[in-house]
Amino acid sequence: MNAPTSTALKILRGNEGKRPLARKPPVLPTEAPDCPEDLSLDPVALETWHYYEPILLRSGNLTKADRNVLKSLCYVTSYLEQARKTFREGGEIEYETIKGRKKKRTVAEPRALVVTGPRGAAVTNPYLAIIHNLLREERAYCQSLGLDPHVRGLNASPAEKADDKWDL
């Protein structure tokens, strides 16, 4: 998937597509949103909030309108840590049979890439797919909050880009 091209870069290239250029979006004031109360129930999500909030405030990328995006990033980070822990340590599921007996079944050995499926065949560890999907979600939230290096470059003003001593 290609990253969007900034309006400034389109102007420099001569607007090859001849489509109308995007106007500047309204600038919202940079201010910290209130921390959602339900984050206090998840210590990893709460820690993530307190980690990213000052970074985003200093960069000027956080407004009250970004509260739900940051909240979602916090929860995804928490789920990702939980999935990584289960992958590292292995996982068991507890279930009840038709006759009402409780049983445990090992889903995955610690750090196993291939596990035995419910029918006895070798299958990819399901936690790998969960981790992969959560990483993609986390990256999307980071991009939308301006935490991705490429997005930070797109959001920089032409004056800031001109001052970059690394541009050749």
Side-chain angles (χ1 to χ4, degrees):
M1 176 167 51
N2 293 334
T5 306
S6 69
T7 304
L9 191 56
K10 287 179 184 177
I11 291 170
L12 285 174
R13 290 181 179 165
N15 193 16
E16 297 164 353
K18 305 297 182 207
R19 293 182 179 166
L21 296 175
R23 293 185 289 166
K24 287 188 176 184
V27 178
L28 298 173
T30 301
E31 57 183 301
D34 299 328
C35 184
E37 290 181 19
D38 57 328
L39 280 184
S40 63
L41 301 174
D42 188 339
V44 175
L46 186 62
E47 181 184 339
T48 304
W49 178 280
H50 291 303
Y51 175 78
Y52 282 121
E53 185 187 40
I55 293 171
L56 291 166
L57 281 173
R58 280 194 303 270
S59 68
N61 288 340
L62 187 63
T63 67
K64 286 197 178 268
D66 298 320
R67 178 179 187 253
N68 288 337
V69 177
L70 181 56
K71 178 181 171 181
S72 297
L73 172 63
C74 294
Y75 276 124
V76 165
T77 303
S78 176
Y79 300 151
L80 182 58
E81 287 303 311
Q82 189 178 7
R84 284 178 171 158
K85 180 181 179 197
T86 306
F87 175 73
R88 276 192 313 271
E89 297 173 359
E92 284 187 343
I93 57 169
E94 191 173 312
Y95 61 96
E96 197 170 306
T97 63
I98 297 173
K99 295 180 180 178
R101 286 185 278 160
K102 291 191 178 207
K103 287 191 167 186
K104 283 187 180 181
R105 181 162 100 49
T106 301
V107 176
E109 296 298 322
R111 300 177 192 253
L113 298 178
V114 177
V115 297
T116 305
R119 295 185 178 162
V123 296
T124 304
N125 189 334
Y127 284 103
L128 291 176
I130 292 169
I131 290 169
H132 178 73
N133 289 336
L134 288 170
L135 283 170
R136 286 175 45 206
E137 278 189 56
E138 183 182 48
R139 183 174 184 205
Y141 287 126
C142 286
Q143 285 177 338
S144 68
L145 288 169
L147 293 168
D148 184 74
H150 178 74
V151 174
R152 280 195 306 267
L154 286 177
N155 291 339
S157 68
E160 290 171 336
K161 290 179 183 178
D163 291 343
D164 190 3
K165 64 181 179 182
W166 298 106
D167 267 347
L168 301 177

